[in-house]
Amino acid sequence: MTKFPDENGYYGEFGGAFIPELLWANIAELTDNYEAILNSDSFKNEFNELLHDYVGRPTPLFFAQNLSKRYGAKIYLKREDLCHTGAHKLNNVLGQILLAKRLGKKRIIAETGAGQHGVATATACALMGLKCTVFMGAKDAIRQKPNILRMRMLGAEIIEVRSGSQTLKDATNDAIRYWINNPAETHYLIGSTIGPHPYPDIVARLQSVISEEIRNQLNQKEKTMFPNYVIACVGGGSNAAGAFFHFIDNPSVNLIGVEAGGTMDDASKTAASILKGKVGIIHGCKTYLLQNNDGQIIEAHSVSAGLDYPGIGPLHAYLNKSQLAKYVSVYDEEAIQAALLLTRLEGIIPALESAHAIAALDKLKFKNTDIVVVNLSGRGDKDLDTYKLYFENDNKNE
């Protein structure tokens, strides 16, 4: 068992690099160089300085007293929502941009669903003086208007994708097409633990700062480095990979990934790729994905734009099959109710992605001595339009 892929980029049977011939040179350049660059002292020093001084790390590990009383356990929130730009995404973005600069790249392209990865990429490109193009599904662009404005203010070119379901899957397709046509000076900055090898490994390593900090902070607060539970939402799986990374080798820590179950009244409207999907190929890697009997990808659904994706990172597929982590699903309605609960008990408005992780607390049974860490991957101001629509349509807030 390992949290790292083998030399061919596989976690067990999952992973690999299924790419067009035109991208082999780019992928080979990354594969041949990324480990040496990420492990170099110059990279580590620059990355760690940016994480501390620009991102605002370490992010707090907050003891949620009121949630703890409600669920009968010691519940901590890892406050990735307090990172600069409002989500964990900036950790990976800064690392990949430092990597791209060392490879001599001049332009950064990215895909985004909820917009947080796009905002983080536009932010880091502004800081580093790099050209930035962000692909975003037109449906997601409507759901995430504030992030569209932020990216434009930061100088990024936004390409709204109107093919397919007009969500993250289609934005990723168009970003890959652009990369194929512009391979030489372009780095494709993938935002999650998905895509061809070595991207899942790169993103997991860069986000592992989350679990490294959890260990150190728990040691100060509880005199142990290992919680009983770590809970995180999973779309592509980057925040969960980061929150799980340093605990994967310890079977005493229960790792809980929370997929978007979608609507309660229509089982086909879901984004639960592990629980409802089958093994196939999506965006360059072998993993679980939602597909019909003919192997065609099925459109995903989630109230959260960041979880509205029909596949899952190969590391999570491996953790699920090897039973090193457990995956549950949460419906849209349960996630919104969990967001309201956290807002009113702890005064924290979470991103809808993070609300799925909070909702999973209702699906687990704890002992009073259990230490539970929930990774709060992003803040909820980007989702205010969705919350507002919920209140207007259902009037269930009072």
Side-chain angles (χ1 to χ4, degrees):
M1 184 274 295
T2 178
K3 55 196 172 192
F4 299 107
D6 65 20
E7 61 182 5
N8 295 314
Y10 282 89
Y11 303 88
E13 68 178 278
F14 305 103
F18 298 83
I19 54 175
E21 186 176 350
L22 288 171
L23 289 181
W24 270 115
N26 296 59
I27 292 297
E29 182 183 37
L30 266 180
T31 303
D32 292 344
N33 292 286
Y34 82 99
E35 285 192 78
I37 291 174
L38 265 57
N39 290 325
S40 68
D41 288 339
S42 68
F43 176 91
K44 289 179 180 177
N45 291 338
E46 190 173 2
F47 184 48
N48 289 332
E49 185 174 328
L50 284 168
L51 289 180
H52 185 272
D53 295 342
Y54 193 69
V55 179
R57 304 203 72 90
T59 57
L61 184 69
F62 172 68
F63 178 62
Q65 187 172 1
N66 296 320
L67 272 184
S68 296
K69 288 179 181 175
R70 180 182 179 92
Y71 289 103
K74 295 181 177 180
I75 297 177
Y76 286 89
L77 303 176
K78 182 57 175 168
R79 297 293 309 277
E80 292 300 291
D81 58 314
L82 296 181
C83 288
H84 177 44
T85 73
H88 70 291
K89 294 291 187 181
L90 192 55
N91 307 321
N92 165 56
V93 165
L94 285 171
Q96 281 202 50
I97 282 187
L98 295 181
L99 173 61
K101 290 188 71 171
R102 282 161 170 75
L103 293 174
K105 304 301 180 183
K106 306 297 184 186
R107 175 183 288 277
I108 302 296
I109 63 170
E111 84 296 328
T112 192
Q116 293 300 96
H117 176 56
V119 169
T121 303
T123 299
C125 284
L127 178 69
M128 300 287 182
L130 293 172
K131 296 177 181 177
C132 178
T133 300
V134 178
F135 295 83
M136 189 171 192
K139 178 181 173 183
D140 290 339
I142 293 172
R143 289 192 285 188
Q144 303 292 337
K145 290 179 183 176
N147 279 339
I148 290 283
L149 177 60
R150 294 165 75 192
M151 285 185 273
R152 288 189 169 134
M153 288 182 68
L154 289 160
E157 176 191 17
I158 312 298
I159 297 180
E160 294 189 17
V161 177
R162 302 188 181 281
S163 59
S165 59
Q166 304 183 26
T167 58
L168 180 58
K169 168 180 69 69
D170 309 290
T172 304
N173 288 340
D174 275 26
I176 291 174
R177 291 190 192 101
Y178 181 94
W179 197 26
I180 290 172
N181 292 319
N182 302 273
E185 294 190 339
T186 302
H187 176 73
Y188 180 16
L189 205 164
I190 293 180
S192 197
T193 49
I194 194 75
H197 176 70
Y199 279 104
D201 189 32
I202 290 173
V203 178
R205 289 175 189 241
L206 294 174
Q207 292 291 4
S208 70
V209 64
I210 299 171
S211 50
E212 183 178 9
E213 287 180 6
I214 291 172
R215 287 199 312 181
N216 294 335
Q217 291 166 323
L218 268 186
N219 198 32
Q220 293 177 357
K221 293 174 181 289
E222 296 286 349
K223 306 302 180 188
T224 177
M225 297 177 76
F226 300 103
N228 299 96
Y229 292 86
V230 178
I231 304 173
C233 65
V234 288
S238 66
N239 92 90
F244 292 174
F245 195 84
H246 288 287
F247 304 116
I248 290 173
D249 298 328
N250 188 329
S252 71
V253 182
N254 295 288
L255 305 177
I256 309 294
V258 187
E259 294 193 301
T263 60
M264 288 182 175
D265 55 355
D266 186 347
S268 68
K269 291 186 175 182
T270 181
S273 304
I274 288 180
L275 298 176
K276 298 288 183 67
K278 295 182 290 186
V279 177
I281 306 295
I282 184 170
H283 294 144
C285 63
K286 182 180 179 183
T287 186
Y288 293 113
L289 63 145
L290 301 174
Q291 54 188 304
N292 62 23
N293 291 332
D294 296 324
Q296 298 298 311
I297 296 172
I298 297 174
E299 182 178 337
H301 166 83
S302 172
V303 69
S304 166
L307 303 181
D308 198 350
Y309 182 71
I312 183 73
L315 171 60
H316 291 289
Y318 167 71
L319 294 178
N320 174 69
K321 186 156 188 177
S322 58
Q323 299 185 327
L324 293 170
K326 179 181 179 181
Y327 294 82
V328 300
S329 68
V330 162
Y331 291 118
D332 291 348
E333 175 71 21
E334 293 174 317
I336 289 178
Q337 292 303 320
L340 296 176
L341 179 73
L342 182 65
T343 300
R344 294 176 182 181
L345 284 186
E346 302 290 353
I348 299 170
I349 301 175
L352 279 166
E353 292 86 347
S354 308
H356 283 71
I358 297 294
L361 293 170
D362 276 329
K363 300 179 182 296
L364 301 167
K365 294 187 182 300
F366 303 112
K367 295 181 290 188
N368 290 335
T369 54
D370 281 343
I371 298 171
V372 180
V373 176
V374 181
N375 196 39
L376 211 62
S377 56
R379 70 183 186 223
D381 51 346
K382 69 179 181 61
D383 291 317
L384 287 180
D385 282 350
T386 304
Y387 288 132
K388 178 174 177 285
L389 188 64
Y390 173 81
F391 294 146
E392 290 174 348
N393 289 344
D394 295 277
N395 195 28
K396 293 179 179 176
N397 60 321
E398 296 295 348

